[in-house]
Amino acid sequence: MAEPLRIGIAGLGTVGAAVARVLADKAAELTRQCGRDIIVNAVSARDAKRDRGVDLSSAQWFDDPVELAKKADIDVFVELIGGEDGPALACVKAALDAGRHVVTANKALLAKHGVALAETAEKKGVLLNYEAAVAGGIPVIKTMREAMAGNTVNRVFGILNGTCNYILTRMEAEGLSFEECLKDAQRLGYAEADPTFDIEGNDTAHKLAILTSLAFGTKIAAGDIYLEGISNITQADIRAASNLGFRIKLLGVAQRTESGIEQRVHPTMVPTASVIAQVHGVTNAVAIETDILGELLLSGPGAGGNATASAVVGDIADIAKSQPGFQHGPVFGRPAKELKPYRKARMRSHAGGYFIRLTVHDRLGVFAAIARRMADNDISLESIVQHAAESETAQKTVILVTHETTEAAVRKAVESITRDGHLTSKPQVIRIERAG
Amino acid sequence: MAEPLRIGIAGLGTVGAAVARVLADKAAELTRQCGRDIIVNAVSARDAKRDRGVDLSSAQWFDDPVELAKKADIDVFVELIGGEDGPALACVKAALDAGRHVVTANKALLAKHGVALAETAEKKGVLLNYEAAVAGGIPVIKTMREAMAGNTVNRVFGILNGTCNYILTRMEAEGLSFEECLKDAQRLGYAEADPTFDIEGNDTAHKLAILTSLAFGTKIAAGDIYLEGISNITQADIRAASNLGFRIKLLGVAQRTESGIEQRVHPTMVPTASVIAQVHGVTNAVAIETDILGELLLSGPGAGGNATASAVVGDIADIAKSQPGFQHGPVFGRPAKELKPYRKARMRSHAGGYFIRLTVHDRLGVFAAIARRMADNDISLESIVQHAAESETAQKTVILVTHETTEAAVRKAVESITRDGHLTSKPQVIRIERAG
């Protein structure tokens, strides 16, 4: 049998501790699958004394993860600290520079420094695996990086944030407000005390940026992503969506268009009968559309200690099966040096259907005026429904669903309608996404 | 750059021609992804002259695929002939014996000879890749063999036959009979002239047998699978399912139980709101449940030249990225010699919910007699509905949905009811499957 593969783990929080437990509990089976033992030789965390449900006494302890990365007797450095800079960046750099393979679950780090780290890894001839960084336990990196070789991707989209999907699912199922569901999500540990990063779409954007690079062979450009969160989604939107045969999901979408690559994160109407519409609660899903394979959808747990640990262990096992010093394909599917600059399509040229919900004064002619503004901007309507608001105020709700049009046209039409003075509150615009 | 990877393709039908086209059309991109060129150096097919939309004039032609496997200047032998024995078996054996990597899409071959072929491949230190053999373009082999390292699988199930799913989807959507939908499937090329192999579940069984081995580390045992096809599914079943919140799918299910491993293929009621219930038409889907990762579902095209070619090209690319003579993990996830004998759970001990549709004489006491037989066999009922048959005959339909019970109890109860003389036609029994 080959020499054991020696692992160093930096970060023993929920995920790190789960990885250590899985490596211990499944040692015999992993040896059978990989043809060699996998041994945790070194660890680093804030608190050396905490009970993590696994015996790590035979591993060398490091207070400083950078020291571990540089000096420990290891083949693979597993970074589970988190954060886009700071110690995570420092220790991953140190590990790669020292010629060690790296496994990380850190989406923020990769979204910001992924290309530079990949260049180092490829120069050093070591692996940089990061299955756990996108959609937790779902093997989307392996699928895009390996299984789809030769495919040209046209679109990749997904539910990449469990917190948002949990909130939207409960809002629909129980008729609760966004605020109530967020509070529950926080109570259950699905949302942070400061939930901004999740609910405003930043977390989804980090993951999407990595998928975009894998899909299109471009440099990662997380800062260029159009971003809209779910905090302004109301029961009125959810009910109207349901009546129209849609469900609202926060999607990250990256799409090849004539004017470049669209990268956007926003609440999205997907057909209720589509597969992705059935992805409930904290579950994640990714759909990939290519020229050869067609449409593929993967759904599963997007977070949680065990699911994330499963992806990390899969990455470690891939290294265990490979020969020392051997590189199993480039980090982002193509050599990092050959990743093309990201050519951004402007959001204004986005083409698609739109859902528009307007609350208007109950006056003669308002309905006609709205229809006129749509026509002025060449927006063809699939449906237009007007009904009285629930309260006995002198206002009505108008819900429009457009055929395919552009973001620019919709914005112009809605601005005109707003200027016309018909609206009693802020208009709501939600993009519709084709989904199988 | 490394030396080119030299490919020999045996079989240039729909899939073989598509593989050759993709390798030619995407040559530059594949080189970028794999770090070396991939060249088709040899081909073999029945008809040398047919136009396949790709220039194969620089490849050496072999009339005999076994000669190609033995003598051509190749690193990888791609078997796309089909059939469980005959030339496919002969040439794959020859290629492995000659120390060449093998890529195949042949589920029948693997279901029968997979373990022996894997032993040869592992002894010779070459790869045997077969992503295309199960669920076409869906990367389920890579997911189970690589991404799920360390996971203990509890259940794997899926829609593995596009013909059956196409027929069931149309029956439900259009209210047509099984026979009408089968005829259409044949006209559209989704079903063979002799459709038995698809509609009676044999094709699903071949694929399930391979997944079972990957899931549980057992020897392949396709012959031990409980088999029931879809030819006796009627509109009455589909409508009753729909009223009860179910959809009927032909599933292959492999499950770890206390008495061994259940392997079964049969029409199955799945909750309409589940993800797998939204998998329509010729699309396939596989769900895998494990202790660490949790529930993962993959859906996508299960057949067709391009989708299958995508999987074959992915397998070839994996070999291109690996070092010559290097083995990337065992063929069925664990070394072939260590695959355990398959321990079969008896179908009679299967535990689950059941749908039972009975057509009965419209006589006093029948309803009570049926309920009594259920109680006698300790079957607890979730619902029991009785309604008049559509025609004005003196018969009624009784539809029962049971809580979890056993196959043995259901069979005994239905036999008793049949013996009681209440039935006017054959009873229909459809198993219900939990699905997320």
Side-chain angles (χ1 to χ4, degrees):
Chain A
M1 200 186 293
E3 290 285 297
L5 186 78
R6 299 160 307 164
I7 308 289
I9 304 177
L12 289 170
T14 312
V15 177
V19 168
R21 277 197 303 272
V22 172
L23 291 176
D25 294 350
K26 301 297 182 76
E29 188 57 29
L30 282 166
T31 298
R32 199 167 155 229
Q33 294 180 359
C34 300
R36 62 202 285 201
D37 291 337
I38 299 173
I39 296 171
V40 179
N41 237 12
V43 290
S44 171
R46 277 200 207 131
D47 179 358
K49 300 208 181 68
R50 220 174 94 199
D51 179 14
R52 295 174 172 94
V54 56
D55 179 12
L56 291 168
S57 57
S58 62
Q60 202 184 347
W61 182 273
F62 286 83
D63 286 322
D64 178 1
V66 178
E67 284 299 294
L68 191 165
K70 281 183 182 162
K71 299 196 180 150
D73 245 3
I74 55 167
D75 307 298
V76 182
F77 179 75
V78 181
E79 185 274 304
L80 299 168
I81 299 169
E84 62 182 13
D85 293 300
L89 177 62
C91 64
V92 167
K93 267 188 171 169
L96 294 175
D97 284 336
R100 308 184 198 283
H101 302 294
V102 168
V103 173
T104 177
N106 192 333
K107 54 207 162 264
L109 176 74
L110 293 173
K112 188 165 178 188
H113 304 288
V115 178
L117 295 173
E119 276 191 40
T120 307
E122 288 165 18
K123 205 174 64 192
K124 290 283 182 175
V126 294
L127 289 156
L128 171 54
N129 284 349
Y130 52 94
E131 186 62 80
V134 181
I138 303 175
V140 62
I141 305 299
K142 185 175 270 293
T143 295
M144 296 186 74
R145 189 163 78 162
E146 301 172 22
M148 290 189 155
N151 279 272
T152 301
V153 176
N154 297 314
R155 181 171 64 149
V156 54
F157 65 100
I159 296 171
L160 299 172
N161 182 275
T163 310
C164 289
N165 206 49
Y166 172 83
I167 292 173
L168 292 170
T169 301
R170 287 210 56 194
M171 283 177 74
E172 190 196 344
E174 299 172 43
L176 301 173
S177 71
F178 169 79
E179 289 74 18
E180 287 171 289
C181 295
L182 172 59
K183 221 172 275 174
D184 267 7
Q186 288 172 318
R187 196 173 46 78
L188 292 164
Y190 295 154
E192 309 278 333
D194 177 359
T196 319
F197 200 76
D198 286 319
I199 63 173
E200 295 308 338
N202 307 77
D203 174 73
T204 300
H206 279 162
K207 295 166 183 168
L208 181 66
I210 295 168
L211 297 183
T212 304
S213 178
L214 280 164
F216 305 114
T218 51
K219 288 189 197 297
I220 298 173
D224 276 336
I225 297 178
Y226 175 83
L227 216 60
E228 229 177 76
I230 61 163
S231 53
N232 70 340
I233 297 295
T234 65
Q235 273 300 323
D237 297 318
I238 299 219
R239 282 195 307 269
S242 171
N243 289 336
L244 292 160
F246 291 111
R247 201 163 266 163
I248 301 176
K249 297 289 183 189
L250 182 77
L251 293 191
V253 185
Q255 186 171 13
R256 191 190 294 277
T257 75
E258 277 174 25
S259 57
I261 293 164
E262 269 184 30
Q263 274 192 113
R264 47 194 167 86
V265 174
H266 52 71
T268 312
M269 299 249 183
V270 294
T272 309
S274 64
V275 180
I276 205 162
Q278 316 310 318
V279 175
H280 301 304
V282 293
T283 304
N284 281 196
V286 185
I288 312 152
E289 294 172 6
T290 81
D291 59 343
I292 307 171
L293 171 50
E295 285 185 37
L296 187 72
L297 182 129
L298 319 177
S299 84
N306 274 346
T308 310
S310 171
V312 171
V313 170
D315 278 351
I316 294 171
D318 274 350
I319 297 171
K321 290 174 200 161
S322 76
Q323 276 186 337
F326 154 71
Q327 162 95 21
H328 187 76
V331 177
F332 290 102
R334 289 84 169 178
K337 281 194 168 167
E338 293 175 28
L339 292 172
K340 289 168 276 184
Y342 166 75
R343 190 159 76 89
K344 182 183 178 177
R346 293 188 321 159
M347 195 59 199
R348 293 179 64 81
S349 37
H350 168 68
Y354 285 78
F355 161 96
I356 303 166
R357 183 173 57 82
L358 306 171
T359 316
V360 301
H361 292 293
D362 189 9
R363 290 181 199 140
L364 204 67
V366 170
F367 200 73
I370 290 170
R372 165 58 46 208
R373 290 301 189 186
M374 292 289 150
D376 287 349
N377 289 285
D378 292 327
I379 299 171
S380 144
L381 296 174
E382 191 178 302
S383 73
I384 175 161
V385 178
Q386 173 181 312
H387 42 105
E390 279 162 33
S391 60
E392 303 222 340
T393 56
Q395 58 183 33
K396 282 192 166 166
T397 298
V398 178
I399 287 162
L400 307 142
V401 174
T402 78
H403 285 293
E404 178 159 313
T405 176
T406 65
E407 178 92 8
V410 169
R411 287 190 192 171
K412 237 179 108 189
V414 171
E415 277 161 26
S416 301
I417 294 164
T418 307
R419 261 201 318 275
D420 290 345
H422 301 312
L423 304 187
T424 64
S425 59
K426 224 173 141 265
Q428 177 71 298
V429 176
I430 301 177
R431 293 164 197 89
I432 297 169
E433 194 79 18
R434 265 188 315 105
Chain B
M1 202 186 291
E3 290 285 298
L5 186 78
R6 301 159 307 164
I7 308 288
I9 304 177
L12 290 169
T14 312
V15 177
V19 169
R21 278 197 302 274
V22 172
L23 291 175
D25 294 351
K26 301 298 184 74
E29 188 57 28
L30 282 166
T31 299
R32 200 167 153 231
Q33 295 180 359
C34 301
R36 62 202 287 199
D37 292 336
I38 299 172
I39 296 170
V40 178
N41 236 15
V43 289
S44 172
R46 277 201 207 130
D47 179 358
K49 299 207 181 66
R50 218 173 96 199
D51 180 14
R52 296 177 170 93
V54 57
D55 180 11
L56 291 168
S57 57
S58 62
Q60 204 185 346
W61 183 272
F62 287 83
D63 287 321
D64 178 2
V66 178
E67 284 299 294
L68 192 165
K70 281 183 183 163
K71 298 196 181 151
D73 245 2
I74 55 167
D75 307 299
V76 182
F77 179 75
V78 181
E79 185 274 307
L80 300 168
I81 298 169
E84 60 181 14
D85 292 300
L89 176 63
C91 64
V92 166
K93 266 189 172 168
L96 293 175
D97 284 336
R100 309 184 198 283
H101 301 295
V102 168
V103 173
T104 177
N106 191 333
K107 55 203 160 269
L109 176 74
L110 292 173
K112 188 165 179 189
H113 303 287
V115 177
L117 295 173
E119 274 191 41
T120 307
E122 288 164 18
K123 205 174 63 192
K124 289 283 183 177
V126 295
L127 288 156
L128 170 55
N129 284 348
Y130 52 94
E131 186 63 80
V134 181
I138 302 175
V140 62
I141 304 299
K142 185 175 269 295
T143 295
M144 295 186 73
R145 191 163 74 162
E146 301 173 21
M148 290 188 156
N151 278 273
T152 302
V153 176
N154 297 313
R155 181 171 65 149
V156 54
F157 65 99
I159 297 171
L160 299 171
N161 182 275
T163 310
C164 289
N165 206 48
Y166 172 83
I167 291 172
L168 292 171
T169 301
R170 286 209 55 195
M171 284 178 73
E172 190 196 344
E174 299 172 44
L176 302 172
S177 71
F178 169 79
E179 288 74 18
E180 287 171 288
C181 295
L182 172 60
K183 224 173 272 173
D184 267 10
Q186 287 171 319
R187 195 173 46 78
L188 292 163
Y190 295 154
E192 309 279 335
D194 177 0
T196 319
F197 199 75
D198 287 318
I199 62 172
E200 296 308 340
N202 308 77
D203 174 74
T204 299
H206 279 163
K207 295 167 183 168
L208 181 66
I210 295 169
L211 296 183
T212 304
S213 178
L214 280 164
F216 305 113
T218 50
K219 289 189 198 296
I220 298 173
D224 275 337
I225 297 178
Y226 176 82
L227 217 61
E228 230 177 77
I230 62 164
S231 54
N232 70 340
I233 298 294
T234 65
Q235 273 301 321
D237 298 318
I238 298 219
R239 280 195 310 270
S242 171
N243 288 337
L244 293 161
F246 291 111
R247 201 163 264 160
I248 301 175
K249 298 288 183 190
L250 183 76
L251 293 192
V253 185
Q255 186 170 11
R256 190 191 295 277
T257 75
E258 277 173 26
S259 56
I261 293 164
E262 268 184 31
Q263 274 193 112
R264 48 196 168 85
V265 174
H266 51 71
T268 312
M269 300 248 180
V270 293
T272 310
S274 64
V275 180
I276 206 161
Q278 316 310 316
V279 175
H280 301 304
V282 292
T283 304
N284 283 15
V286 186
I288 311 152
E289 294 171 6
T290 80
D291 58 343
I292 307 171
L293 172 49
E295 285 186 39
L296 187 72
L297 182 130
L298 318 177
S299 85
N306 274 346
T308 310
S310 172
V312 171
V313 170
D315 277 350
I316 294 171
D318 274 350
I319 296 171
K321 289 173 200 162
S322 76
Q323 275 187 338
F326 155 70
Q327 162 94 18
H328 187 75
V331 176
F332 290 102
R334 287 87 169 175
K337 282 194 169 170
E338 295 175 27
L339 291 172
K340 289 167 278 185
Y342 166 76
R343 189 159 76 91
K344 184 183 177 178
R346 293 187 319 160
M347 195 59 198
R348 294 180 62 81
S349 40
H350 167 68
Y354 284 77
F355 162 97
I356 304 164
R357 183 173 58 79
L358 306 171
T359 317
V360 300
H361 293 293
D362 189 7
R363 290 181 201 142
L364 203 68
V366 170
F367 199 73
I370 290 170
R372 164 60 44 206
R373 289 302 187 185
M374 292 291 150
D376 286 349
N377 288 285
D378 291 328
I379 300 172
S380 143
L381 296 174
E382 191 177 304
S383 73
I384 175 161
V385 179
Q386 171 180 317
H387 42 106
E390 279 161 33
S391 62
E392 304 222 341
T393 55
Q395 58 183 34
K396 283 193 167 166
T397 297
V398 177
I399 288 163
L400 308 143
V401 174
T402 78
H403 285 295
E404 179 161 313
T405 177
T406 64
E407 179 92 7
V410 169
R411 287 190 191 169
K412 234 179 113 190
V414 171
E415 276 161 26
S416 302
I417 294 164
T418 308
R419 259 201 321 272
D420 290 343
H422 301 312
L423 304 187
T424 64
S425 60
K426 222 172 143 266
Q428 176 70 298
V429 175
I430 301 178
R431 292 165 198 88
I432 297 170
E433 192 79 18
R434 264 185 317 104

